[in-house]
Amino acid sequence: MSQEFDVAIVGFGPVGATLANLLGLHGCRTVVLEQDTEIFPVPRAVHADDEALRTFQSLGLLESMRPALGTYTKREYLNAKGEIFFEASVRKTTAIGHREDIYFHQPTLEAVLRGGLTRFEHVDTRLGMEVEKIEQDNVGVTLTARQAETGKIETIRSKYVVGCDGARSLVRQQLNIRLRDLGFDQPWLVLDVRLNPDVTPKEANLPNCHQQYCDPRQPVTYVPTAVKGHYRWEFMQIDKPAPNSVPPKEQVRNLLSSVVDPSNVEIQRVAIYTFHALIAKQWRVERALLAGDAAHQMPPFAGQGMCSGLRDVHNLSWKLALVVKGASSDELLNSYAVERIPHVTRMTRGTIFLGNLIQTRSFLGAYLRDILFKTILRIPRLFTTLASFTLRSPNLKKGVLGGEISRAKGKQFIQPTVLLDTDEAVPLDSVLGDGFSVLTIAEHDDVLTKLADTLITTTLPITFVQVANGKVTSNLQSGSFKRILDVEGKLVAWFRKYRAQFVIIRPDRYVLGAYTATGLNQGMKELFSLLCLHSNTGVP
Ligand SMILES: Cc1cc2nc3c(=O)[nH]c(=O)nc-3n(C[C@H](O)[C@H](O)[C@H](O)COP(=O)(O)OP(=O)(O)OC[C@H]3O[C@@H](n4cnc5c(N)ncnc54)[C@H](O)[C@@H]3O)c2cc1C
């Protein structure tokens, strides 16, 4: 394989591996450089949300991941007396077509992500290669990396580099990018255990739900992980330990016996992590970009660190693909930070709010919190709103967004089950493909023919989908057109809600814009201009 790549990825954690798969699907020549030779064998992240599952679905790897996923039904918040002061249920299916929250086993999930790359001849992975230096010029990036085993130095050329190299990112350091501190700095002790095989979870009093013990004397998080018989507790460290210190055995024993009978479990791992809330001030310097923990770190109270990294690379991958293939100017890449920084800032602030609720050490604060929850939960409407509470991903506000109907743009598009011409029921995304898609409920042949003419003249990857709700629809048939039946009525309801006839959906499944029948031409022009396309698009 040639040493000249479209994109070099530094770091093969979950974020780098997801980006490599996405770029593989877009046909980009990609190299991944990872300093370690094996997957890190113990999980850090344990929880993922519906949007992360949708990203894995886009990779075509979700079904292979199923054995590494586990479900739970609710989150409970308990006060100092051990009483539940608030509980929130987990929805089985959200509007985007996935379970609201799941648990996963990180090493298995990463193995599936890495396995997915065997599909692509144009994606190369180099394990045991530590990147030491990054230099940029007008046409590309030169990476200097050292082979761990032999000490041999290699240079690799690529058009762009993405630093997915974690919290201590070398790429970020080499670019002299500073971090913005949102003001959170708290060590927690993570304790992973395995239940003895002769004891049932019920006997050991280990429920299948997420619990937060919001006791000001000792805040604790409890997580039944995706692996049968494996459980995690996280204990806030009241007396801040020295960095990288090993917790004393006696402290670990005391903490464990405060939550479970120690004779029922075997300790698998003890580690202290200091949780921060940091966001890189810049996510791009010329041809180098940051993603995942290299770009942001947040406490894990809402399980959103890795999930945010997956959003980064789903957002970035299609933009990089358009740029490296020469379709778009590289100005398009500026929209990456414009879209992602405000989003991740909101998620981090939400996580800090949740963290402060959980880990308050003030008895008065905890007392007032409990009273407040008791009072507001008596109001049925507030109860319903709070009971479905979870830290939701906000809409995109600025970036590659447009459309006539402004309240539709920047949202994740819904994903109902639809029926194909062949009568097969499938999730919507499997019809949309890896590129852009235009969905319409229009039935008039003249409108559709005009759109077909436009699509034929562009080289952009666009799938056109006509949504029918059971009635006879257009006779128009063409290779770039697909027709689906809206069996659940959710798509037609969406179009009615926004009074739209067309919607343009981006490859990361966010709504670029929604349009009326007469606004279609404007929509296509807008799409081509937002994408900073080089070539003549053929739009009249
Ligand atoms: C206790 C804990 C619990 C968490 N729980 C959750 C959760 O439930 N849900 C969630 O979404 N997130 C959670 N997180 C956060 C999540 O673990 C991280 O956000 C995620 O692992 C970041 O992935 P990444 O790929 O960006 O970085 P990493 O996983 O850190 O991967 C970076 C990779 O880059 C490699 N690398 C570094 N430097 C170089 C170099 N110079 N050359 C070559 N390779 C290099 C490293 O070896 C590593 O493999 C948790 C974190 C912790 C600590």
Side-chain angles (χ1 to χ4, degrees):
M1 188 180 284
S2 149
Q3 288 288 100
E4 176 86 34
F5 296 92
D6 291 326
V7 182
I9 300 170
V10 184
F12 208 10
V15 174
T18 301
L19 177 59
N21 274 283
L22 287 162
L23 292 174
L25 288 169
H26 287 300
C28 301
R29 292 168 307 143
T30 304
V31 61
V32 191
L33 300 154
E34 165 59 49
Q35 63 191 8
D36 293 337
T37 49
E38 304 286 341
I39 291 173
F40 191 61
V42 281
R44 281 91 73 214
V46 286
H47 157 275
D49 64 9
D50 51 352
E51 211 175 329
L53 294 176
R54 194 177 200 181
T55 300
F56 296 141
Q57 178 193 1
S58 297
L59 303 182
L61 297 176
L62 184 57
E63 291 317 309
S64 319
M65 284 175 184
R66 293 269 181 223
L69 308 183
T71 57
Y72 69 108
T73 50
K74 59 181 175 177
R75 289 179 292 276
E76 291 179 347
Y77 295 78
L78 298 96
N79 62 20
K81 292 184 201 153
E83 299 162 347
I84 299 169
F85 67 88
F86 173 56
E87 76 178 32
S89 50
V90 176
R91 282 177 290 162
K92 281 190 182 145
T93 316
T94 66
I96 64 170
H98 289 283
R99 200 176 173 89
E100 186 175 23
D101 284 313
I102 51 102
Y103 289 136
F104 64 91
H105 183 244
Q106 188 172 353
T108 314
L109 185 120
E110 287 190 37
V112 174
L113 287 170
R114 290 186 181 194
L117 296 178
T118 54
R119 297 174 289 177
F120 311 116
E121 279 199 356
H122 49 282
V123 179
D124 194 1
T125 53
R126 310 269 180 90
L127 301 180
M129 292 282 282
E130 183 182 358
V131 175
E132 294 185 338
K133 198 159 79 178
I134 292 167
E135 291 159 296
Q136 304 197 49
D137 53 52
N138 287 342
V139 286
V141 185
T142 305
L143 301 161
T144 307
R146 183 184 297 273
Q147 266 185 20
E149 206 181 339
T150 60
K152 198 177 141 208
I153 298 282
E154 273 189 46
T155 56
I156 292 121
R157 280 286 292 175
S158 60
K159 291 179 187 160
Y160 289 88
V161 60
V162 186
C164 300
D165 49 344
R168 295 196 196 111
S169 172
L170 169 110
V171 178
R172 192 183 66 230
Q173 286 168 31
Q174 294 253 312
L175 299 173
N176 274 324
I177 294 177
R178 301 187 54 189
L179 293 165
R180 178 176 170 215
D181 192 340
L182 298 192
F184 195 95
D185 190 32
Q186 178 60 51
W188 279 63
L189 183 143
V190 175
L191 186 59
D192 288 336
V193 305
R194 196 182 64 189
L195 186 63
N196 292 338
D198 53 344
V199 185
T200 65
K202 203 171 172 194
E203 283 164 351
N205 200 15
L206 298 173
N208 184 32
C209 67
H210 183 115
Q211 291 180 320
Q212 297 283 2
Y213 292 89
C214 310
D215 180 347
R217 287 165 299 184
Q218 176 59 73
V220 182
T221 302
Y222 161 78
V223 182
T225 74
V227 183
K228 199 167 171 245
H230 287 240
Y231 298 86
R232 171 178 287 184
W233 282 278
E234 294 167 7
F235 300 89
M236 180 179 168
Q237 292 290 276
I238 311 294
D239 304 314
K240 289 196 177 178
N244 304 322
S245 61
V246 181
K249 278 196 178 140
E250 200 186 324
Q251 186 202 2
V252 175
R253 249 198 321 271
N254 288 343
L255 289 173
L256 186 64
S257 55
S258 71
V259 288
V260 70
D261 178 349
S263 66
N264 283 336
V265 295
E266 185 191 312
I267 294 179
Q268 303 279 289
R269 174 176 79 128
V270 184
I272 293 179
Y273 288 94
T274 299
F275 300 144
H276 304 288
L278 303 167
I279 300 176
K281 290 186 176 170
Q282 252 179 297
W283 289 29
R284 174 186 181 194
V285 176
E286 309 291 343
R287 292 173 170 270
L289 301 111
L290 300 177
D293 274 19
H296 47 77
Q297 294 141 51
M298 66 179 82
F301 302 117
Q304 278 296 326
M306 182 198 75
C307 294
S308 297
L310 299 180
R311 281 188 201 103
D312 297 343
V313 292
H314 212 172
N315 183 302
L316 177 62
S317 54
W318 59 268
K319 295 174 183 174
L320 270 173
L322 286 174
V323 172
V324 297
K325 288 181 179 171
S328 296
S329 89
D330 95 337
E331 210 186 311
L332 177 63
L333 296 177
N334 292 339
S335 67
Y336 169 54
V338 168
E339 292 181 356
R340 289 295 307 139
I341 291 180
H343 191 286
V344 85
T345 305
R346 274 195 60 182
M347 294 306 277
T348 310
R349 287 198 195 287
T351 299
I352 293 173
F353 175 77
L354 193 61
N356 288 336
L357 203 71
I358 292 164
Q359 64 166 30
T360 180
R361 303 248 26 251
S362 149
F363 283 87
L364 179 64
Y367 175 74
L368 292 175
R369 174 198 63 204
D370 299 348
I371 298 274
L372 184 73
F373 269 86
K374 242 183 215 157
T375 314
I376 56 180
L377 291 180
R378 287 207 187 104
I379 304 164
R381 268 189 69 187
L382 278 175
F383 177 82
T384 318
T385 312
L386 277 174
S388 62
F389 169 80
T390 178
L391 189 59
R392 299 312 319 155
S393 167
N395 301 333
L396 300 179
K397 299 274 185 257
K398 282 194 278 180
V400 184
L401 305 170
E404 289 176 289
I405 301 150
S406 63
R407 65 201 166 96
K409 72 179 175 193
K411 289 182 177 358
Q412 274 268 308
F413 193 64
I414 58 171
Q415 182 179 208
T417 298
V418 296
L419 213 58
L420 303 178
D421 274 355
T422 55
D423 269 357
E424 190 191 345
V426 295
L428 175 68
D429 288 7
S430 64
V431 182
L432 303 185
D434 304 323
F436 287 86
S437 31
V438 180
L439 253 74
T440 183
I441 49 166
E443 291 181 7
H444 315 294
D445 280 1
D446 54 336
V447 180
L448 299 178
T449 310
K450 210 165 162 191
L451 183 63
D453 291 346
T454 307
L455 293 181
I456 284 160
T457 54
T458 173
T459 50
L460 262 191
I462 302 183
T463 304
F464 183 86
V465 183
Q466 189 193 18
V467 179
N469 64 357
K471 289 183 278 172
V472 178
T473 57
S474 157
N475 288 324
L476 190 88
Q477 290 293 334
S478 144
S480 54
F481 281 73
K482 294 179 180 176
R483 201 167 49 189
I484 54 174
L485 194 65
D486 181 24
V487 267
E488 296 181 345
K490 290 179 180 166
L491 289 171
V492 172
W494 189 94
F495 280 103
R496 282 213 185 106
K497 178 177 170 190
Y498 292 105
R499 298 201 181 129
Q501 288 271 304
F502 292 89
V503 58
I504 300 179
I505 303 166
R506 311 184 336 172
D508 55 9
R509 313 304 185 207
Y510 279 82
V511 173
L512 182 138
Y515 306 86
T516 61
T518 50
L520 174 65
N521 242 12
Q522 179 221 331
M524 296 313 286
K525 276 186 192 157
E526 191 170 52
L527 171 69
F528 298 139
S529 123
L530 282 166
L531 296 182
C532 315
L533 291 188
H534 281 310
S535 58
N536 180 1
T537 59
V539 181

